[in-house]
Amino acid sequence: MVLEFFLHPDGLIKFFGDSTDKTSLLPFYFRLMWMDNSWRATDLNHTIHGFMDILPANGVPSWMASTHDFPRIATRVEPEFSEAASMIQLMLPGLASIYYGQEIGMTDVRIRADQRQEDNGRDGCRGPMQWDESLNSGFTTNKKAWLPVNPEYWRHNVKEQLKDPLSHLNIFKRLLELRHNPVIKNGELETCVISEWMFLFA
């Protein structure tokens, strides 16, 4: 069972079960959703170890970098950093929960006042998936989607990225394949802060 709690790591631990209840639940760990261009290697290291170091023996971490409630990772950071964030999320031990569009580095849509569906500011990260260059980015056959399509859709979509072996999507797919490697699945996590802006993990 996946659980959604915006809690400090100490507060999440009780949901992993104990010696009496061996059921291993999966509370989302949301701290990566605060990652932006201001984060240094020490911030990332602290975020990872702040959770990993207190996990119970039966605990499986579940990492989130984007959701339907917060700006997308590709909106919060530079494009190159967006790919690095995917590498980090997908190579860390445990479950990587992916919000649609992260595979292609989708950014938030700018919503005009007359296009809003909610007043809480969450519409921007909920734009239609960008499948191809057709009308409404191939998301719907309706004349108009519920929320506007990102204007970048005609060149930034799944169809186009499938053609480029170095695209965000194809790198993402290779990372997913790498997750099946026994070292990634069963190895011990080690991290190293090499400098203020350089983080190493294995």
Side-chain angles (χ1 to χ4, degrees):
M1 180 183 294
V2 178
L3 306 174
E4 180 179 352
F5 293 104
F6 284 85
L7 298 174
H8 189 274
D10 290 338
L12 293 176
I13 297 306
K14 63 182 178 181
F15 296 104
F16 283 106
D18 53 32
S19 58
T20 303
D21 180 6
K22 306 243 183 233
T23 302
S24 178
L25 303 178
L26 292 164
F28 287 135
Y29 184 46
F30 289 110
R31 289 287 300 171
L32 290 180
M33 293 199 315
W34 276 259
M35 184 188 302
D36 59 25
N37 288 326
S38 70
W39 272 37
R40 292 168 170 77
T42 50
D43 299 315
L44 183 56
N45 197 56
H46 176 74
T47 295
I48 292 170
H49 281 285
F51 194 36
M52 292 296 299
D53 292 353
I54 62 174
L55 277 178
N58 66 325
V60 177
S62 178
W63 309 94
M64 296 286 293
S66 294
T67 75
H68 63 290
D69 289 329
F70 291 87
R72 292 176 173 274
I73 182 66
T75 298
R76 304 191 314 263
V77 301
E78 298 298 325
E80 294 81 4
F81 193 5
S82 175
E83 287 192 357
S86 290
M87 291 177 187
I88 292 166
Q89 184 184 8
L90 292 174
M91 292 298 100
L92 285 172
L95 177 69
S97 299
I98 306 303
Y99 183 49
Y100 80 91
Q102 186 177 340
E103 312 94 323
I104 62 171
M106 266 181 66
T107 56
D108 289 1
V109 181
R110 293 185 178 181
I111 307 292
R112 298 193 314 261
D114 63 312
Q115 297 172 319
R116 290 178 188 158
Q117 299 294 339
E118 292 194 6
D119 292 327
N120 53 25
R122 297 184 298 181
D123 286 343
C125 60
R126 299 177 177 184
M129 180 65 183
Q130 295 158 209
W131 292 107
D132 56 37
E133 76 286 359
S134 65
L135 180 67
N136 293 316
S137 68
F139 179 77
T140 178
T141 56
N142 288 342
K143 183 177 180 181
K144 183 179 179 182
W146 187 60
L147 287 168
V149 177
N150 194 315
E152 295 182 345
Y153 81 91
W154 62 274
R155 61 180 174 82
H156 191 72
N157 58 61
V158 172
K159 182 180 176 182
E160 286 300 311
Q161 289 199 21
L162 283 172
K163 302 174 186 176
D164 180 4
L166 297 179
S167 68
H168 194 112
L169 177 58
N170 280 317
I171 290 173
F172 201 96
K173 289 171 69 175
R174 289 198 292 276
L175 288 169
L176 290 177
E177 292 174 4
L178 190 58
R179 282 174 62 86
H180 295 289
N181 186 293
V183 174
I184 301 299
K185 290 175 67 174
N186 306 312
E188 295 287 331
L189 174 68
E190 293 189 13
T191 67
C192 180
V193 176
I194 299 174
S195 68
E196 184 179 17
W197 299 105
M198 188 175 294
F199 175 76
L200 174 69
F201 72 109

